[in-house]
Amino acid sequence: MDAVVVEGLVKVFKRVVAVNGLSFRVGEGEVFGLIGPNGAGKTTTLRVLATLIKPTSGRALVYGHDVVEEADVVRSLISYLPEEAGAYDHLTGLEFLRYMASLSGVGDVEEAVEWGSELSGLGGRLRDKVKTYSKGMKRRLLVARALMSRPRLAILDEPTSGLDVVSASQVREVVKRYVAETGAAVVVSSHNMLEVEYLCDRVLIVNEGRGLVEGAPEELKERYGAANLEEVFVKVVGR
Protein backbone atom coordinates (compact mmCIF):
# COMPACT_ATOMS: atom_id res chain seq x y z
CA MET A 1 0.00 0.00 0.00
CA ASP A 2 1.20 3.51 -0.80
CA ALA A 3 1.84 5.73 2.20
CA VAL A 4 0.40 8.74 0.36
CA VAL A 5 -1.85 9.08 -2.68
CA VAL A 6 -2.71 12.56 -3.92
CA GLU A 7 -5.01 12.83 -6.94
CA GLY A 8 -6.02 16.05 -8.69
CA LEU A 9 -5.58 18.13 -5.55
CA VAL A 10 -6.91 21.69 -5.77
CA LYS A 11 -6.97 24.30 -3.04
CA VAL A 12 -8.38 27.77 -3.63
CA PHE A 13 -8.20 30.59 -1.08
CA LYS A 14 -10.78 33.16 -2.20
CA ARG A 15 -9.47 34.01 -5.68
CA VAL A 16 -5.99 32.54 -5.21
CA VAL A 17 -5.37 29.04 -6.56
CA ALA A 18 -2.67 27.75 -4.22
CA VAL A 19 -2.68 24.14 -5.50
CA ASN A 20 -3.85 23.37 -9.01
CA GLY A 21 -4.40 19.70 -9.89
CA LEU A 22 -1.47 18.18 -8.02
CA SER A 23 -1.03 14.38 -8.13
CA PHE A 24 1.70 12.15 -6.69
CA ARG A 25 2.28 8.96 -4.69
CA VAL A 26 4.71 8.16 -1.89
CA GLY A 27 5.78 4.63 -1.02
CA GLU A 28 6.58 3.20 2.40
CA GLY A 29 10.19 3.74 3.40
CA GLU A 30 10.54 6.62 0.94
CA VAL A 31 11.61 10.23 1.44
CA PHE A 32 9.62 12.28 -1.06
CA GLY A 33 10.32 15.93 -1.70
CA LEU A 34 8.05 18.73 -2.86
CA ILE A 35 10.43 21.36 -4.16
CA GLY A 36 9.98 24.72 -5.76
CA PRO A 37 10.08 28.46 -5.05
CA ASN A 38 8.23 30.15 -2.22
CA GLY A 39 4.52 30.37 -3.03
CA ALA A 40 4.55 27.24 -5.19
CA GLY A 41 1.89 25.48 -3.10
CA LYS A 42 4.18 23.19 -1.11
CA THR A 43 3.06 24.19 2.39
CA THR A 44 -0.61 24.19 1.39
CA THR A 45 -0.24 20.61 0.12
CA LEU A 46 1.43 19.52 3.35
CA ARG A 47 -1.29 21.14 5.43
CA VAL A 48 -3.92 19.20 3.48
CA LEU A 49 -2.03 15.96 4.17
CA ALA A 50 -1.81 16.92 7.85
CA THR A 51 -5.63 17.40 7.95
CA LEU A 52 -5.24 21.07 8.92
CA ILE A 53 -7.13 22.37 5.87
CA LYS A 54 -9.59 20.74 3.48
CA PRO A 55 -8.99 20.60 -0.25
CA THR A 56 -11.31 22.45 -2.61
CA SER A 57 -11.39 19.37 -4.84
CA GLY A 58 -9.42 16.22 -5.52
CA ARG A 59 -8.43 13.85 -2.76
CA ALA A 60 -5.54 12.80 -0.57
CA LEU A 61 -5.12 9.44 1.16
CA VAL A 62 -2.69 8.43 3.90
CA TYR A 63 -2.30 4.65 4.04
CA GLY A 64 -5.66 4.36 2.32
CA HIS A 65 -7.47 6.76 4.67
CA ASP A 66 -9.06 9.91 3.29
CA VAL A 67 -7.69 13.06 4.95
CA VAL A 68 -11.15 14.63 5.05
CA GLU A 69 -13.49 11.71 5.71
CA GLU A 70 -11.12 9.89 8.10
CA ALA A 71 -9.15 12.78 9.55
CA ASP A 72 -8.93 11.28 13.05
CA VAL A 73 -7.43 8.06 11.72
CA VAL A 74 -4.96 9.99 9.59
CA ARG A 75 -3.87 12.08 12.58
CA SER A 76 -3.01 8.89 14.47
CA LEU A 77 -0.64 7.88 11.67
CA ILE A 78 1.23 11.12 11.05
CA SER A 79 3.42 13.75 12.61
CA TYR A 80 3.63 17.27 11.19
CA LEU A 81 6.45 19.76 11.65
CA PRO A 82 5.61 23.23 10.27
CA GLU A 83 8.39 25.55 9.14
CA GLU A 84 7.59 28.08 11.86
CA ALA A 85 7.49 25.53 14.72
CA GLY A 86 9.19 26.56 17.93
CA ALA A 87 10.16 25.04 21.27
CA TYR A 88 9.63 26.31 24.80
CA ASP A 89 12.72 28.30 25.75
CA HIS A 90 12.18 27.95 29.49
CA LEU A 91 12.33 24.13 29.34
CA THR A 92 15.37 21.95 28.92
CA GLY A 93 15.52 19.90 25.73
CA LEU A 94 14.69 16.79 27.72
CA GLU A 95 11.75 18.43 29.46
CA PHE A 96 10.45 19.63 26.09
CA LEU A 97 10.60 16.14 24.58
CA ARG A 98 8.89 14.63 27.64
CA TYR A 99 6.14 17.25 27.60
CA MET A 100 5.48 16.79 23.89
CA ALA A 101 5.52 12.99 24.23
CA SER A 102 2.92 13.20 27.00
CA LEU A 103 0.65 15.20 24.68
CA SER A 104 1.10 12.92 21.69
CA GLY A 105 -0.75 9.92 23.12
CA VAL A 106 2.16 7.48 22.79
CA GLY A 107 1.87 4.38 24.94
CA ASP A 108 5.29 4.67 26.60
CA VAL A 109 6.34 8.28 27.15
CA GLU A 110 9.79 7.47 28.49
CA GLU A 111 10.56 5.13 25.59
CA ALA A 112 9.54 7.88 23.16
CA VAL A 113 11.71 10.41 25.01
CA GLU A 114 14.69 8.04 24.93
CA TRP A 115 14.22 7.50 21.19
CA GLY A 116 13.81 11.23 20.58
CA SER A 117 16.89 12.03 22.65
CA GLU A 118 18.94 9.58 20.63
CA LEU A 119 17.62 10.87 17.32
CA SER A 120 18.39 14.49 18.22
CA GLY A 121 22.08 13.76 18.73
CA LEU A 122 22.21 16.57 21.28
CA GLY A 123 23.67 14.41 24.06
CA GLY A 124 24.30 16.25 27.31
CA ARG A 125 22.96 19.52 25.88
CA LEU A 126 19.46 18.10 26.34
CA ARG A 127 19.82 19.04 30.00
CA ASP A 128 20.31 22.69 29.09
CA LYS A 129 17.55 25.22 28.54
CA VAL A 130 16.29 25.47 24.97
CA LYS A 131 16.96 29.23 25.08
CA THR A 132 20.70 28.44 25.06
CA TYR A 133 20.46 26.41 21.83
CA SER A 134 21.61 27.54 18.41
CA LYS A 135 19.07 27.58 15.59
CA GLY A 136 20.46 24.28 14.30
CA MET A 137 20.17 22.62 17.71
CA LYS A 138 16.58 23.79 18.06
CA ARG A 139 15.71 22.40 14.65
CA ARG A 140 17.27 19.02 15.49
CA LEU A 141 15.23 18.97 18.70
CA LEU A 142 12.04 19.78 16.78
CA VAL A 143 12.69 17.13 14.13
CA ALA A 144 13.32 14.59 16.91
CA ARG A 145 10.04 15.68 18.52
CA ALA A 146 8.22 15.05 15.25
CA LEU A 147 9.73 11.58 14.90
CA MET A 148 9.87 10.25 18.45
CA SER A 149 6.27 9.00 18.38
CA ARG A 150 7.29 6.80 15.41
CA PRO A 151 4.68 8.11 12.95
CA ARG A 152 4.10 6.02 9.84
CA LEU A 153 4.22 9.27 7.87
CA ALA A 154 6.31 12.29 8.88
CA ILE A 155 5.40 15.57 7.17
CA LEU A 156 8.25 18.08 7.41
CA ASP A 157 7.88 21.61 6.06
CA GLU A 158 11.26 23.23 5.27
CA PRO A 159 13.09 21.25 8.00
CA THR A 160 16.48 22.83 7.24
CA SER A 161 15.34 26.36 6.43
CA GLY A 162 17.87 28.97 7.54
CA LEU A 163 20.40 26.44 8.83
CA ASP A 164 24.10 26.44 8.10
CA VAL A 165 25.67 23.60 6.14
CA VAL A 166 26.68 21.55 9.18
CA SER A 167 23.33 21.90 10.96
CA ALA A 168 21.40 21.10 7.78
CA SER A 169 23.51 17.98 7.28
CA GLN A 170 22.78 16.87 10.85
CA VAL A 171 19.03 17.31 10.34
CA ARG A 172 19.20 15.28 7.12
CA GLU A 173 20.97 12.48 8.94
CA VAL A 174 18.26 12.41 11.62
CA VAL A 175 15.59 11.98 8.94
CA LYS A 176 17.55 9.37 6.99
CA ARG A 177 18.24 7.35 10.12
CA TYR A 178 14.58 7.41 11.12
CA VAL A 179 13.45 6.08 7.75
CA ALA A 180 16.17 3.42 7.70
CA GLU A 181 15.26 2.16 11.17
CA THR A 182 11.46 2.30 10.93
CA GLY A 183 10.54 1.95 7.27
CA ALA A 184 8.23 4.95 7.65
CA ALA A 185 7.56 7.44 4.86
CA VAL A 186 8.53 11.10 4.88
CA VAL A 187 7.17 13.96 2.80
CA VAL A 188 9.37 17.03 2.96
CA SER A 189 9.07 20.44 1.35
CA SER A 190 11.89 22.79 0.48
CA HIS A 191 12.74 25.71 -1.77
CA ASN A 192 16.39 24.65 -1.53
CA MET A 193 16.64 22.25 -4.43
CA LEU A 194 20.31 21.47 -3.89
CA GLU A 195 19.62 20.48 -0.29
CA VAL A 196 16.88 18.07 -1.30
CA GLU A 197 19.20 16.17 -3.64
CA TYR A 198 20.97 14.77 -0.60
CA LEU A 199 17.82 13.78 1.26
CA CYS A 200 15.06 12.60 -1.08
CA ASP A 201 14.60 9.37 -2.98
CA ARG A 202 12.19 11.09 -5.36
CA VAL A 203 11.07 14.67 -5.86
CA LEU A 204 8.23 16.56 -7.49
CA ILE A 205 9.13 20.01 -8.73
CA VAL A 206 6.17 22.34 -8.32
CA ASN A 207 5.50 25.89 -9.43
CA GLU A 208 2.37 28.02 -9.19
CA GLY A 209 0.48 25.11 -7.66
CA ARG A 210 1.23 22.67 -10.49
CA GLY A 211 3.48 19.65 -10.64
CA LEU A 212 6.11 20.04 -13.35
CA VAL A 213 8.34 16.95 -13.31
CA GLU A 214 8.80 14.02 -10.95
CA GLY A 215 11.53 11.46 -10.44
CA ALA A 216 14.72 10.55 -8.59
CA PRO A 217 17.18 13.46 -8.44
CA GLU A 218 19.81 11.64 -10.50
CA GLU A 219 17.21 10.60 -13.05
CA LEU A 220 15.96 14.16 -13.50
CA LYS A 221 19.46 15.57 -13.83
CA GLU A 222 20.27 13.00 -16.49
CA ARG A 223 16.97 13.54 -18.30
CA TYR A 224 17.52 17.30 -18.59
CA GLY A 225 21.31 17.29 -18.92
CA ALA A 226 21.61 19.30 -15.73
CA ALA A 227 24.24 19.47 -13.01
CA ASN A 228 21.65 19.90 -10.24
CA LEU A 229 17.93 20.25 -9.59
CA GLU A 230 18.05 24.03 -9.81
CA GLU A 231 19.16 23.67 -13.41
CA VAL A 232 16.36 21.15 -14.00
CA PHE A 233 13.84 23.65 -12.65
CA VAL A 234 15.14 26.48 -14.86
CA LYS A 235 15.04 24.27 -17.94
CA VAL A 236 11.50 23.07 -17.23
CA VAL A 237 10.02 26.46 -16.31
CA GLY A 238 11.88 28.20 -19.09
CA ARG A 239 10.18 26.15 -21.78
Side-chain angles (χ1 to χ4, degrees):
M1 177 185 293
D2 288 317
V4 175
V5 176
V6 173
E7 297 179 336
L9 191 68
V10 174
K11 181 61 183 178
V12 179
F13 296 100
K14 295 184 179 179
R15 296 182 180 179
V16 177
V17 181
V19 180
N20 192 359
L22 210 57
S23 297
F24 61 88
R25 292 173 179 261
V26 182
E28 291 185 277
E30 182 175 38
V31 181
F32 185 88
L34 291 174
I35 61 175
N38 291 330
K42 305 183 302 295
T43 293
T44 299
T45 301
L46 296 193
R47 293 182 70 200
V48 169
L49 288 177
T51 74
L52 297 177
I53 58 176
K54 295 181 180 180
T56 303
S57 62
R59 69 172 187 159
L61 306 177
V62 174
Y63 289 97
H65 300 283
D66 189 281
V67 298
V68 176
E69 302 299 329
E70 301 173 274
D72 288 343
V73 176
V74 171
R75 290 181 193 124
S76 72
L77 299 172
I78 69 171
S79 181
Y80 173 59
L81 179 64
E83 179 182 4
E84 68 277 8
Y88 299 115
D89 284 349
H90 64 286
L91 299 178
T92 66
L94 200 60
E95 289 170 341
F96 174 74
L97 290 177
R98 184 170 290 111
Y99 176 67
M100 297 308 293
S102 68
L103 295 179
S104 70
V106 296
D108 189 330
V109 169
E110 290 307 313
E111 192 276 335
V113 171
E114 183 177 350
W115 171 237
S117 300
E118 189 177 344
L119 279 176
S120 75
L122 292 173
R125 289 302 307 273
L126 284 168
R127 292 182 171 80
D128 297 334
K129 299 283 188 182
V130 172
K131 65 183 178 183
T132 68
Y133 288 6
S134 67
K135 185 172 182 178
M137 292 171 65
K138 286 183 180 179
R139 204 59 182 167
R140 286 158 63 189
L141 181 71
L142 289 165
V143 171
R145 187 277 298 167
L147 301 179
M148 68 180 176
S149 60
R150 300 179 189 267
R152 293 181 65 189
L153 172 66
I155 303 168
L156 310 177
D157 193 359
E158 301 279 2
T160 61
S161 178
L163 300 186
D164 59 43
V165 173
V166 173
S167 296
S169 176
Q170 291 168 336
V171 168
R172 288 199 306 269
E173 289 307 311
V174 171
V175 175
K176 287 181 176 179
R177 180 185 172 192
Y178 178 75
V179 172
E181 294 189 12
T182 66
V186 175
V187 177
V188 59
S189 78
S190 180
H191 64 273
N192 186 335
M193 301 184 199
L194 300 180
E195 163 78 18
V196 168
E197 285 190 41
Y198 300 105
L199 178 61
C200 296
D201 301 301
R202 286 188 307 120
V203 300
L204 174 63
I205 297 179
V206 297
N207 191 39
E208 297 180 346
R210 297 179 181 273
L212 301 180
V213 294
E214 180 181 340
E218 290 302 319
E219 172 196 339
L220 292 178
K221 288 189 291 181
E222 182 177 350
R223 186 191 311 173
Y224 290 93
N228 52 56
L229 289 180
E230 283 187 350
E231 288 188 13
V232 174
F233 180 82
V234 171
K235 289 187 176 187
V236 172
V237 173
R239 286 182 170 185

